Structure formats: structure tokens, C-alpha cells
Amino acid sequence: MNHAITHDIVITGGRVIDGTGRPAERADLAVTGDVITAIGMGPYQATTRIDATDRVVAPGFIDLHSHADFTVAGHPTAETAIAQGVTTLITGNCGQSTFPVRDQEEARLSTAFRDFPLSWEWTDAAGFGETVMAAGPAVNVGLQVGHNALRVAVMGQQDRAPDTRELREMCSLIEESAQHPGVVGFSTGLIYIPGLFAFTDELVALVSAAASCDLLYSTHMRSETSELVEAVEEAIGTAERSGARLEISHLKAMGPENWGAVDKALELIDAARARGVDVAADVYPYTASSTDLSSRVPRWAIDGGRPALLDRLADPVQRARIAEEMRARFGRDIDPEGVVIADLPPGEFDSYVGWSIARIGRDRGVDAAEVALDVLAAHAGSVTIVNHAMSEDDVRTVLAHPWVSVASDGWMLAPSGPGRPHPRSFGTFPRVLGRYVREQPTISLEEAIRKMTTLPASRIGITDRGSLTVGAAADIVVLDPHSIADTSTFDDPWQLARGVHTVLVNGTPTLLDGEFTKNHAGRLLQKRKPA
């Protein structure tokens, strides 16, 4: 290496953890333009020097499971991500994406993110990608085609199988989307409308189309409760039949009766990998999930989408049947003490934000099922909840598995706002590094960083990010391993993480010595070309 070259930036004195899992090494790191140009003992000449003494220098973190496609255009500075060291967000998860769009209003209303300010003025991945880039994001963005969006565009929200023409059209839309910059995957959300109406043969056809374009298949499985094992078997079987890379999203077992089932799920993953299926998973480090309350009603009640649900809630006979079927799941798949209202606009129930449906029921003198239906009826059939239902032991077990990435499942990018959103949007990555590496050792620092960098990069099929190597994109984080921690809580979620000092996105300082620079250097990802 010619040390006489003057680089744009040199990060000096840090312990370099390159993302591969190898032990940390003392080294300086040089950046010119948007790429890493030298790694070694230096000294390197530079226009700007960043002192990383007593700190770790790592690849920028890749959040493999985000819903920020619904928020990044409205808040492109993405402080909650940058403060965690996240430089890349993979969006379009759980079957919910912002494209393709045939009817703007139907597309918007069909998502769980209907209230976020998006124009919905595009029709395809290219148009949405242009909208994201026009906003000037501070982070890189990867897109996935959502199964729910496909179904809504082609066949609405009905509980039926697609006919031959509709299935062919959905496959074509996947293939068309894959040609556009930024598109790296296809996702399903098999507990959400209308994805829950799909049978395995439909999924195999669509996933085969995705696999033919070298897209990742990520899935929010059909069950994460009493039928978790069967759901994992279906997901693996779909991947095996289609030849796809499979990512099982936010692997967990919900409900005390189901705790421990993650052991069997991980055994199934190991067995599938041993016979050649490319399957992995991701996890967030919390014992609560967050989703839409409508996902807790019976399948038949949501046939036709939220307007149809509201009609059924207005019918006393059908409403009573819905409530009865929900009560039958209490204690097995639904814990009413753990289902907490996360956000509501002003109205009859807004004072109950942060309360469980069981607690609201006690306050109002009705049972929890009636509360859930009252709240849904009052808010157009869509209400965000936080659901406390998982085991700490299960979180540790899943996190420790070598083929499990760290991912947030978050969507809040602004540092402040209304309601009590899940703290995973604010603290996922520092929580792993603080709680599960430093305070309650579950994995090593090097392994944790691998799960945030090279492992997720390999899942989406990109080779220019995720590791610190000469020639790689200069997405870099400098952090203090002794102080990094999440500060966001369920009661007070609007708190940025601490311990990340500097973040470079494509060689541009986005966070410098703990201060946001307002630089926006994010890009749409470019996936590898099929072999």
C-alpha cells in the first residue's frame, strides 16, 4: 500500500471487527470517495481524521427486517436507525409493500401502515424507488415485493385461490419488479389479509418466480403460536420446492404454552440446511411483538378486507361469533393481559394507549374480546398493538443460533412522535450489543456484529456491503462497546440509543462524534447478478 496517497477519511486507533466473525484487530481504516481504500497499521494521509481509540470499528449494520418503506420518504434523516449504527434497511417485509399499485386508495387501506403520509402516486418498484431517492435518505434501502400488495393489485382481498390468469399475472409482477434497482426480495405475511388466504401451491408458484430472479424469500409464517412447527415446515417445504433462499422472519414462539417450541424450529432449520435448503432466520431482542389488532380476529371475519370486517362488527350476530372465537383462543394463542394498545388518534379510546385489552375491559366492565372489537370498530378496523407474549429463554436460544441475523421489525425513523410504539425501532442493535454481549453474555461481540453485517448481506445477495474489506462500500460504524445500550422502553419508547459515535454511509459522515450531520448519502441497493 502506498502510504503517500491522501485519502478522504482515515479512522485511526480502533479495534476493527470486519463482520466475518474473526477476532478484532487493531488497525486504521481509510476511505476515499464511497469505498474503503486501505486497512492496516498506517499511518495513512487523510483530509479528515476520526479518532477511534478505545472504540470498535465495524461495518454498518444491515437491518434485514424493516417496515421503513412506509416512513423513510416522510422522515429520510432516519435518526433512530443511524443512532443504532444501521446503514441499510431492507423493507417490504411481512407481505406488505408499497408496490405494485393498481388502485391507490385500496393499496393504502390494505396495509397496516395506512396512516403514514405517503403519496401512493407510483405504480411499480421503479416509481417507488424514485420517490424514496427523491426524499434523500440518510440510509441505504433495499426493497421487497410484498405478497399482500400483489394479491390486492391483482385479485383484491377475497378469501379464494387465484385462477390461472391471476397467478400468472402475480408471477409476472414479481419478475418485472426484480428488474428495478433496489429490489432484493419477495415476502409473505401469512397472518395478514389477504396473504392468509393463500394456500401452499400459490406460494410455491410465486416463490419459484422470485427464485428465478435470485430474490430472497422472506416470510412472516402462518403461525408463531401453537402451530409454529407446522408453519416452519410449510416455509421450508415452499423453499425446497421452489429452490429459493428462505428467510424466516422474526422467529419466535408466542404464548406460554408454546414456549420452547423454537428448539424444534431451529432443529428443522438445521436439518433442512443439512440436505441443501438455503434457509436462515432473524430475531429481535425483545419478548414482545408488535402488529395490527385485526390479525387477532378469525380468518373468516376479515375476508374482503377491513371494510368487510367493519360490516361484520356492525352485525350483532356476526360480532358475537367473532368475539366467541377470540375468547376460545385466550390462554392459547392470545393473552389479553399482553395485548397492549400502542397508538390511537384522539377519540373514545385514546386515554387507553399503553393499556392491555384486559385492563381496559376491567376499567369498562366488559371482557377483553369485546374491548378488542370495540376498538377496531372505532378505528376503521386497524389498530397497532404491542403484544407481550414471548420467553426470554427463547430469545436467547434463537439469537445464539449461527444462522440467525439480528433485525428490528421496526418502522419508526423519527426520534419523537405520538403513542407508544415498540422500542425495537429505537434500540434493537445496541440492545444486542449491550444486553446480550456485555451484560448477560449470550454471544461474542464479533459474532453479534457478524449477525448484523455479513450474515444479512449474504441473505439478500449483496457482496459490496456488510464487511470491512478494501473495495467495499464505506458503510462504517464506530461504537463504544463498553457503553452501547438501548434506552427506549415500552413505557417511554421515544429514546435514541447511546454508544454509537460515528456512522459513515457510502463514505459520508452521517453521525460524527455523536452529532447528526444532516448528510443524506443513502442509495438503493444493487443486488448481485444471477449466475
Side-chain angles (χ1 to χ4, degrees):
M1 172 60 65
N2 184 357
H3 289 189
I5 295 173
T6 299
H7 305 272
D8 292 335
I9 297 171
V10 170
I11 302 171
T12 64
R15 294 167 53 215
V16 172
I17 297 180
D18 66 6
T20 64
R22 289 195 293 261
E25 294 183 347
R26 162 69 179 85
D28 294 347
L29 188 148
V31 172
T32 302
D34 58 0
V35 299
I36 298 169
T37 46
I39 303 174
M41 294 308 296
Y44 302 118
Q45 296 183 32
T47 304
T48 301
R49 306 185 78 82
I50 296 172
D51 184 6
T53 303
D54 297 327
R55 295 173 181 165
V56 163
V57 182
F61 303 150
I62 298 171
D63 189 347
L64 193 54
H65 191 104
S66 169
H67 294 284
D69 36 344
F70 294 92
T71 55
V72 68
H75 199 85
T77 48
E79 289 97 333
T80 65
I82 294 296
Q84 296 182 64
V86 172
T87 57
T88 299
L89 299 171
I90 307 303
T91 65
N93 282 286
C94 298
Q96 303 195 57
S97 66
T98 53
F99 61 88
V101 175
R102 296 280 173 82
D103 181 293
Q104 294 176 359
E105 190 66 2
E106 184 178 26
R108 181 183 72 84
L109 292 176
S110 68
T111 77
F113 305 93
R114 54 196 287 166
D115 295 326
F116 288 104
L118 281 175
S119 68
W120 293 95
E121 293 178 350
W122 51 84
T123 59
D124 58 12
F128 179 66
E130 290 169 2
T131 297
V132 169
M133 287 299 101
V139 292
N140 303 308
V141 179
L143 309 174
Q144 294 186 94
V145 192
H147 176 221
N148 288 356
L150 286 175
R151 258 188 165 248
V152 168
V154 173
M155 53 185 295
Q157 301 184 63
Q158 305 303 313
D159 183 359
R160 64 175 178 85
D163 61 29
T164 301
R165 179 194 63 79
E166 290 166 335
L167 188 60
R168 186 182 304 116
E169 186 174 1
M170 286 193 284
C171 289
S172 295
L173 285 170
I174 292 172
E175 293 162 355
E176 177 187 319
S177 297
Q179 304 308 309
H180 296 301
V183 177
V184 296
F186 166 70
S187 76
T188 58
L190 301 180
I191 71 164
Y192 299 114
I193 54 170
L196 65 88
F197 303 139
F199 292 105
T200 303
D201 285 347
E202 173 186 339
L203 300 178
V204 170
L206 298 177
V207 175
S208 295
S212 72
C213 301
D214 195 36
L215 299 182
L216 176 69
Y217 171 45
S218 59
T219 181
H220 180 142
M221 297 181 297
R222 207 174 294 276
S223 175
E224 297 174 327
T225 54
S226 57
E227 297 178 349
L228 171 66
V229 171
E230 292 84 352
V232 173
E233 290 173 337
E234 180 190 31
I236 291 173
T238 299
E240 199 159 16
R241 289 171 62 186
S242 63
R245 300 193 310 280
L246 168 64
E247 183 72 14
I248 295 176
S249 298
H250 41 58
L251 180 59
K252 55 184 172 289
M254 299 179 65
E257 291 187 4
N258 307 308
W259 291 351
V262 296
D263 294 317
K264 179 61 176 177
L266 293 170
E267 288 175 8
L268 289 170
I269 290 173
D270 288 338
R273 291 193 64 84
R275 63 177 185 269
V277 184
D278 189 352
V279 53
D282 51 71
V283 68
Y284 49 78
Y286 298 89
T287 57
S289 64
S290 185
T291 187
D292 195 281
L293 183 58
S294 63
S295 66
R296 298 315 186 239
V297 304
R299 168 177 169 152
W300 64 267
I302 205 79
D303 181 11
R306 290 186 177 86
L309 171 62
L310 294 174
D311 289 341
R312 294 181 181 108
L313 292 178
D315 180 320
V317 174
Q318 293 190 78
R319 178 187 166 114
R321 181 185 167 194
I322 295 170
E324 181 180 0
E325 292 188 22
M326 288 182 69
R327 288 186 202 102
R329 295 171 60 197
F330 286 177
R332 185 182 81 246
D333 294 340
I334 302 174
D335 176 9
E337 297 289 352
V339 178
V340 175
I341 304 298
D343 188 22
L344 288 175
E348 178 183 358
F349 295 97
D350 64 341
S351 63
Y352 290 124
V353 170
W355 288 38
S356 72
I357 58 173
R359 182 183 175 192
I360 298 170
R362 289 190 291 270
D363 186 68
R364 295 171 69 92
V366 296
D367 85 314
E370 295 295 341
V371 167
L373 301 187
D374 285 343
V375 176
L376 284 169
H379 295 92
S382 181
V383 175
T384 301
I385 60 171
V386 169
N387 191 10
H388 296 268
M390 284 104 79
S391 149
E392 176 73 14
D393 286 344
D394 281 0
V395 171
R396 290 177 178 281
T397 296
V398 176
L399 179 62
H401 192 277
W403 285 99
V404 172
S405 299
V406 174
S408 75
D409 199 9
W411 54 86
M412 294 298 184
L413 296 179
S416 62
R420 294 188 185 181
H422 197 298
R424 64 195 183 190
S425 288
F426 308 86
T428 289
F429 294 82
R431 182 175 177 84
V432 169
L433 298 174
R435 180 181 179 89
Y436 295 105
V437 171
R438 185 181 65 244
E439 297 171 0
Q440 301 176 20
T442 303
I443 53 177
S444 69
L445 179 59
E446 289 85 353
E447 176 66 356
I449 289 175
R450 184 186 72 86
K451 289 171 171 288
M452 302 173 180
T453 56
T454 57
L455 181 55
S458 72
R459 302 312 298 153
I460 55 177
I462 58 172
T463 57
D464 63 335
R465 301 177 195 274
S467 64
L468 297 182
T469 56
V470 172
D475 292 347
I476 302 167
V477 56
V478 180
L479 61 90
D480 181 354
H482 306 293
S483 67
I484 193 166
D486 60 314
T487 63
S488 176
T489 67
F490 289 101
D491 290 333
D492 188 13
W494 298 96
Q495 305 291 329
L496 294 178
R498 67 169 187 260
V500 172
H501 290 269
T502 294
V503 175
L504 272 60
V505 179
N506 295 306
T508 299
T510 304
L511 185 76
L512 190 60
D513 281 334
E515 299 293 330
F516 293 102
T517 66
K518 302 188 185 302
N519 291 327
H520 291 193
R523 299 175 182 171
L524 288 177
L525 291 187
Q526 299 295 323
K527 67 179 184 299
R528 67 188 179 192
K529 300 296 183 182

